[in-house]
Amino acid sequence: MTPSLSRRRLGATAAAGAAAMFMPARAFAANERPVLGIIGAGTRASQLLPSLMKLASVAAVADVSLPRAEKMAKAANADLWLQDYRRLLDRKDIDAVVVATPLHWHALCCIHAAQAGKDIYCEKPLAYTIREGRRVAEAVRKHGRVFQTGLQQRSGRAEHDGCRLVREGVLGSVTRVLAYNYPSPMEPRFPAQSLPDRLDWDRWCGPAEPIPFHASIWDNQSNPAWVSLRPFSGGAMTDWGAHGLDMAQWGIGMDASGPEEVWVEGEPFDPQTSTPERPGGRQNGPTSPKVMMKYGNGVVLEFKGGPQFGATFTGPQGSITVQRNRFSTTPASLVPDDDKVVEEDKSDSTFAHCKNWIDCIRSRSETVAGVEIGHRSTSVAHLANIARWTSGLTGRVGEKLRWDATAERFTNSGEANGFLDREYRRGYELPAAV
């Protein structure tokens, strides 16, 4: 058996260490709770609600399904439920919002919220495209908002200590990182069904071209659901990968950057013949060709053999695997004696993550998973999908796509650059100025 998890206190984190300049919020009296609005009342918002209600008050809930908005509003003791989130943003008594919509709506909701002067908790992954993520980051900075990305493993003690040990050099210089072989999104193939009562399906489709309603797409609990479908998501690559690749970025100290080269190995991407890694699973999708990345410091990231919600780091002294609620080392002697290692962390990282956001709303300081961290970690997932899709266009594999992480463009592939943004339906475009 190998040891896992340190009991050392979290202490300062990479994100919290930097000074942040945020526009001042209203002054809170002693014991006064911030007032929240919730945008998107589905599964994830329901999971967050118990933690949020311990820390803040909820005044309004918006969801394109009015019955779902009403149900959550009553559970949260909110006085307003509605279908159009923009009306929620108009309320002056709301200090901050939680964005828990499907991925294809994240950018618009976040940009509009920042423009309305609201602080923001946005579920992962941050945005549907790399360009969207950058525009969200620009809006958050321009309007001085406190932003937390829903990468709750950043608030987990085990994940923190495992990644810290990697950065502190207990492995020596890291040479290789293994990620999970995340599936890319599928194309939707569903028959039309009758719409549920008071669901605005056209608005649910939002920036994407509308497709016929089917309950499996909407509810996100079916096999597959919207999270696996290309018009609405980057598949498990962005959904699960937002967590696992965030750990990879954190461990090798690349929170503000990304890889320099991306390529694929195997056969070119073919969505018609690629098989799901988990047949019948909620997050189906093609898993080939294999994705590889290389960072400027020489670290190679390979999408094979890593844990689903973490990463395995390898260096000359051994390896460290960081995964949800624990880490393990090989050999066991890699962990310093003063770390007092135990098996796992059973604390509630979701509550800790929400509390960090609420605390930062009061102090106007940076959160543990600020907008740049959320954007950069999600971008790694997007780059993996883009490498697969580009191979499908060109028919080539092994060709290294050179990524300029500062300009956020490929320097040698017009085909790859074509996937940095999406076509927007009229009326749902990103604002010309954030």
Side-chain angles (χ1 to χ4, degrees):
M1 294 181 62
T2 55
S4 58
L5 172 61
S6 163
R7 284 291 188 188
R8 181 178 292 177
R9 289 181 174 271
L10 282 174
T13 68
M21 298 297 292
F22 295 111
M23 296 291 291
R26 68 179 178 90
F28 290 96
N31 300 320
E32 186 180 3
R33 295 153 64 91
V35 178
L36 308 182
I38 297 177
I39 303 174
T43 302
R44 185 56 183 155
S46 298
Q47 293 169 343
L48 291 171
L49 188 61
S51 293
L52 294 169
M53 290 183 67
K54 294 175 183 177
L55 300 163
S57 301
V58 179
V61 178
D63 193 282
V64 293
S65 168
L66 199 57
R68 195 157 71 173
E70 179 181 4
K71 180 180 178 181
M72 178 164 287
K74 290 181 176 178
N77 300 315
D79 60 11
L80 177 67
W81 53 90
L82 64 165
Q83 287 182 304
D84 189 341
Y85 71 88
R86 293 172 297 183
R87 287 179 53 205
L88 180 155
L89 296 177
D90 289 338
R91 284 187 52 158
K92 303 301 182 185
D93 62 324
I94 291 178
D95 303 302
V97 298
V98 175
V99 176
T101 65
L103 174 57
H104 65 297
W105 264 106
H106 282 187
L108 274 173
C109 292
C110 288
I111 291 171
H112 289 156
Q115 291 174 330
K118 312 301 183 187
D119 296 322
I120 304 161
Y121 185 113
C122 179
E123 258 309 318
K124 59 82 201 166
L126 181 67
Y128 181 82
T129 67
I130 291 177
R131 177 176 177 265
E132 281 190 357
R134 179 49 61 200
R135 296 298 299 282
V136 171
E138 291 170 353
V140 167
R141 291 197 182 98
K142 178 178 179 180
H143 298 283
R145 297 300 90 204
V146 173
F147 191 99
Q148 182 83 297
T149 314
L151 297 168
Q152 72 269 15
Q153 291 179 205
R154 290 268 175 162
S155 291
R157 185 167 51 205
E159 296 93 322
H160 172 275
D161 284 336
C163 289
R164 172 182 56 79
L165 289 169
V166 175
R167 292 194 307 275
E168 288 178 352
V170 300
L171 298 174
S173 295
V174 175
T175 57
R176 201 168 195 85
V177 181
L178 297 181
Y180 188 77
N181 186 25
Y182 302 104
S184 293
M186 308 163 63
E187 298 297 332
R189 300 181 186 90
F190 293 88
Q193 292 182 341
S194 299
L195 278 172
D197 181 46
R198 294 179 294 166
L199 168 64
D200 188 342
W201 181 246
D202 184 79
R203 186 164 182 81
W204 186 93
C205 292
E209 285 299 319
I211 63 175
F213 171 81
H214 192 283
S216 293
I217 301 173
W218 173 54
D219 69 9
N220 203 29
Q221 296 300 306
S222 300
N223 306 319
W226 67 260
V227 76
S228 295
L229 303 180
R230 191 164 175 179
F232 314 116
S233 171
M237 181 65 78
T238 55
D239 192 59
W240 287 335
H243 289 301
L245 298 173
D246 182 50
M247 294 296 97
Q249 287 270 109
W250 200 14
I252 62 174
M254 287 290 172
D255 281 350
S257 187
E260 292 187 348
E261 295 178 342
V262 185
W263 70 98
V264 294
E265 297 177 351
E267 296 296 321
F269 179 80
D270 183 350
Q272 302 303 319
T273 59
S274 297
T275 57
E277 182 160 304
R278 299 178 65 220
R282 185 169 70 88
Q283 299 192 30
N284 291 345
T287 59
S288 63
K290 185 174 77 171
V291 179
M292 304 285 291
M293 299 183 183
K294 187 175 183 179
Y295 288 79
N297 58 7
V299 174
V300 173
L301 174 60
E302 180 178 0
F303 287 65
K304 180 182 179 181
Q308 186 172 324
F309 296 108
T312 295
F313 305 88
T314 300
Q317 304 304 316
S319 67
I320 294 178
T321 295
V322 179
Q323 49 194 317
R324 183 160 291 180
N325 302 323
R326 63 183 301 157
F327 73 84
S328 58
T329 71
T330 304
S333 58
L334 280 173
V335 177
D337 292 340
D338 63 355
D339 274 287
K340 298 180 182 177
V341 174
V342 297
E343 279 298 317
E344 61 183 343
D345 178 11
K346 295 183 179 180
S347 61
D348 186 348
S349 60
T350 295
F351 175 79
H353 208 55
C354 291
K355 185 176 185 300
N356 173 254
W357 178 52
I358 297 298
D359 289 345
C360 290
I361 288 174
R362 293 176 174 278
S363 65
R364 312 313 294 171
S365 56
E366 181 66 276
T367 62
V368 297
V371 69
E372 188 68 21
I373 286 172
H375 170 58
R376 293 292 187 171
S377 293
T378 303
S379 292
V380 178
H382 288 311
L383 291 174
N385 275 336
I386 290 171
R388 282 181 177 161
W389 296 334
T390 300
S391 75
L393 279 181
T394 65
R396 299 191 295 270
V397 295
E399 183 177 52
K400 294 183 177 180
L401 305 176
R402 293 195 294 273
W403 176 245
D404 183 336
T406 300
E408 295 185 318
R409 290 189 64 80
F410 294 95
T411 61
N412 66 337
S413 176
E415 293 91 349
N417 283 327
F419 294 113
L420 296 177
D421 203 2
R422 72 172 302 162
E423 294 290 331
Y424 293 87
R425 191 156 60 112
R426 185 174 181 180
Y428 294 94
E429 303 92 343
L430 296 185
V434 298

